Amino acid sequence: MAILALLQYYRLRIFVFFIRLLLIKRGPIPVAPDNVLQIPSRDQNRTIKAHIYRPIKAKTPSPVLINLHGSGFVLPVHGEDDFYCRYVSNNSTYTVFDVQYRLAPENPFPAPLHDVEDVVRYIQSRPDEYDASQMSIGGFSAGANLSLSASSMMLPRDTFRSVIAFYPPAEMAGLPENKTPPDASGHRIPPFLARTFDSAYFQNTDPCDPRISPFYAPAEQFPASMYIVTPAQDYLADEGAELAGRIRREGGGKYVLHKRVEGCGHGWDKHPKKGSHEERMREEAYQMAVEILKR
Ligand SMILES: *[C@@H]1O[C@H](CO)[C@@H](O)[C@H](O)[C@H]1NC(C)=O
Ligand SMILES: *[C@@H]1O[C@H](CO)[C@@H](O)[C@H](O)[C@H]1NC(C)=O
Ligand SMILES: *[C@@H]1O[C@H](CO)[C@@H](O)[C@H](O)[C@H]1NC(C)=O
Ligand SMILES: *[C@@H]1O[C@H](CO)[C@@H](O)[C@H](O)[C@H]1NC(C)=O
């Protein structure tokens, strides 16, 4: 059993090594945060990098949005949400922490969630700078999944005012090949890739564990407001919509906003062409994120 797990682990390591190599060839991701923080981790001699985006209309102490990028839990693409983070800090009083959480398979569940906890502690320990009573969390894809887990299962209830989840995988126990998008006209993530990435994250933990699958977390544990965005061409759209519906029904009066984005797929908002449908949908979806933060 232990040998099988070890073989599986090295298979993942090798696979992910090659995928990351492809990313390195694309070169560094251009980013323009206001500054870069190294936040102390619970592990000795380790810090967690965060890009900080400061609001134009600053308020002291500042409300905070923690953002977690998409990664399939394994891809080192921190910085990919630069536009979004700046959009939020431009249009609200929120300081955005874009956090470089640890990646699988080297650091499976719960490592990235521990990083989020450590960042939350850091923010809470600086009341002169940050207003921890106005802290929200959100992210994209795997980062959205981590935001849902962190806000419902890892940190005390009411740590976050709202959670923002762009195209989250919400239900890990189901097989990707058995899931279909509401609109099948787009291209889809190959199921084997999704499966490999998911298993890199939860490795030997039960995917039905509610800390991994927020889908199974009690509805009342989520923050008071939620914004879930599901692009219609994404095979994860149904589970995102279902999660939103369940929390609306069972959450005891939480504000749940579900936005279905027609004609777009997973990750549609990264680098849309100028003047395209995708760009207009990005503006709409991001504007609603700002509205949720202002609630
Ligand atoms: C941390 O760094 C210090 C100084 O470089 C070193 O002496 C110590 O062994 C390190 N601790 C760990 C756990 O790596
Ligand atoms: C943020 O505001 C600056 C200054 O007004 C502007 O140059 C920039 O394009 C804005 N960025 C976003 C993403 O809205
Ligand atoms: C996170 O993703 C995993 C894998 O797809 C899934 O099992 C889990 O339910 C998701 N968690 C949440 C909170 O949606
Ligand atoms: C947000 O700011 C950008 C420019 O930075 C602007 O184009 C956009 O309309 C603003 N949106 C809202 C909702 O204020």
Side-chain angles (χ1 to χ4, degrees), residues 157-172:
R157 228 204 294 183
D158 300 331
T159 300
F160 302 107
R161 281 166 65 90
S162 50
V163 58
I164 295 172
F166 283 87
Y167 34 88
E171 197 276 303
M172 302 272 200

Side-chain angles (χ1 to χ4, degrees), residues 181-235:
D183 166 2
S185 63
H187 56 79
R188 66 175 294 170
I189 303 168
F192 87 92
L193 201 61
R195 208 170 340 109
T196 305
F197 285 5
D198 286 356
S199 62
Y201 174 52
F202 52 73
Q203 288 179 28
N204 304 318
T205 312
D206 177 5
C208 294
D209 182 324
R211 291 171 305 166
I212 292 187
S213 285
F215 197 77
Y216 303 107
E220 70 275 7
Q221 286 183 211
F222 286 90
S225 28
M226 297 190 76
Y227 175 40
I228 298 188
V229 182
T230 62
Q233 293 173 356
D234 185 4
Y235 77 90

Side-chain angles (χ1 to χ4, degrees), residues 56-57 86-87 90-91 283 286-287 290-291 294:
I56 296 174
K57 292 165 283 182
R86 182 60 70 193
Y87 187 98
N90 265 2
N91 289 318
E283 175 72 21
Y286 285 13
Q287 246 178 38
V290 168
E291 293 307 315
K294 287 181 178 164

